[in-house]
Amino acid sequence: MAQTIAAAVSNPGGIFLLPWVEKILQGGAFAVFDVETAPFVKEGVLRELGQVAPSGGAQLSMDIKSNEFIQVDPTGMGYVAGKPVHQRQPKLQLKINAPSMRTLGLALLAGTPASYTQAAVAADAQYNIASVVLDVWYYVGALALTKLTASKEVAGTPTTFTDLVKETDYQLDTAAGLVKFLSSGVILTEGDSVSVLYQAAAIAARPRIAIGSVPAFVTGGLRIFRTVLPSGTRTTPQMFIDYFPRVRIEPSGNIDLAHDKPAEITLDVYGLPSPEISGAQFGYAFQQIAGDLRV
């Protein structure tokens, strides 16, 4: 049976519905990357790099290298008669706010993220603290805690325990597997012996990256989606695409870590010659795809 022919569609703004574009509807930019699997052959899948930092997050420059052509006038004075260009290389410095794990892996030369797993702790496991320090976090030994009981060992009777009260004697972070015993509690004092019994859920396919030995750069196609909100006589959002058919992305080594985002990294993006856009050796294209036209 032949495939049904394409039918009409009526959602020209559908690009706005994509999850990674929704992040920029309040104004901003988002970068996606199509990895090159062989020279001039791309995967055909747009994988997110991350949100481009707002002010000054992307700067495009043209690196020009030339040799000065020196001529000598009748007095014997040399002067620059010409500067023939022998190398041209577009460079885009891209600052990515809250990068994807793949992008962070690229910046750390760590390759694609691996997955880590944790077997479920289905029976009570024990974590002992011989001499407790109050108001600090302890890692009990597993993530994704499902059950936990903390007890104080009664002095002189090692098999007798007094249960502690959550939020009164201790605080708990189940996702991170952390417990903190509070100095404001009424049962514990510094140096007491504490026993913790816990269970935990299984974890599968969580991403994890680590610095490793991989190529320092990757090539492919880069798209940056940018949105400008309505203002003045413009009644609809405008959307633009910066498109680079073929680039080489290199980590700059600059990675900022902060409490309000996983990381902010700077990537050096170099334009490479590509035949994709006729007449444009490096192929950069700036397109408006939605909203009132700017002419």
Side-chain angles (χ1 to χ4, degrees):
M1 179 179 178
Q3 182 178 357
T4 303
I5 63 173
V9 292
S10 58
N11 188 19
I15 189 73
F16 288 105
L17 301 178
L18 295 174
W20 39 262
V21 176
E22 288 178 355
K23 299 176 184 178
I24 64 172
L25 282 180
Q26 298 306 310
F30 207 77
V32 294
F33 191 64
D34 189 356
V35 177
E36 193 174 73
T37 57
F40 305 107
V41 178
K42 286 175 283 193
E43 188 179 27
V45 177
L46 299 182
R47 303 186 185 277
E48 62 179 79
L49 289 179
Q51 186 171 1
V52 180
S55 179
Q59 295 183 336
L60 177 62
S61 61
M62 185 69 73
D63 288 348
I64 301 293
K65 295 183 180 180
S66 60
N67 290 327
E68 294 183 347
F69 178 61
I70 308 297
Q71 285 188 346
V72 180
D73 66 14
T75 66
M77 178 66 70
Y79 62 94
V80 178
K83 296 182 66 174
V85 174
H86 67 84
Q87 185 175 337
R88 178 179 63 178
Q89 184 165 249
K91 178 182 178 182
L92 178 71
Q93 193 162 64
L94 202 60
K95 184 171 288 187
I96 299 294
N97 187 325
S100 68
M101 291 290 280
R102 282 177 174 265
T103 311
L104 194 56
L106 170 64
L108 293 172
L109 306 185
T112 56
S115 61
Y116 73 89
T117 60
Q118 172 184 288
V121 182
D124 285 357
Q126 190 170 35
Y127 174 73
N128 291 317
I129 305 172
S131 179
V132 72
V133 177
L134 301 178
D135 297 326
V136 300
W137 288 102
Y138 286 90
Y139 175 60
V140 302
L143 305 172
L145 299 177
T146 56
K147 297 180 181 180
L148 184 138
T149 299
S151 306
K152 171 186 174 180
E153 184 178 300
V154 177
T157 56
T159 58
T160 305
F161 297 90
T162 300
D163 287 346
L164 304 178
V165 180
K166 186 176 179 293
E167 301 302 336
T168 298
D169 299 306
Y170 67 93
Q171 291 179 335
L172 190 61
D173 185 325
T174 57
L178 304 177
V179 61
K180 176 168 67 174
F181 301 98
L182 305 174
S183 58
S184 58
V186 297
I187 299 177
L188 280 179
T189 57
E190 193 91 11
D192 282 343
S193 179
V194 174
S195 174
V196 176
L197 298 178
Y198 66 90
Q199 295 184 24
I203 295 177
R206 291 283 179 87
R208 177 169 60 193
I209 59 176
I211 296 173
S213 177
V214 298
F217 59 85
V218 62
T219 58
L222 176 69
R223 286 175 172 84
I224 301 175
F225 294 90
R226 293 187 285 127
T227 300
V228 179
L229 293 181
S231 177
T233 59
R234 292 185 288 106
T235 59
T236 58
Q238 295 178 329
M239 191 168 190
F240 303 89
I241 296 179
D242 297 278
Y243 177 47
F244 299 80
R246 192 167 189 249
V247 297
R248 179 179 71 250
I249 296 183
E250 300 179 4
S252 68
N254 180 17
I255 302 177
D256 298 325
L257 308 176
H259 69 280
D260 58 345
K261 53 183 175 286
E264 186 170 277
I265 65 176
T266 302
L267 299 175
D268 291 331
V269 182
Y270 296 94
L272 300 176
S274 168
E276 184 169 324
I277 299 179
S278 177
Q281 180 184 9
F282 288 92
Y284 169 69
F286 171 70
Q287 304 166 259
Q288 181 177 347
I289 64 170
D292 301 330
L293 294 179
R294 293 194 181 201
V295 294

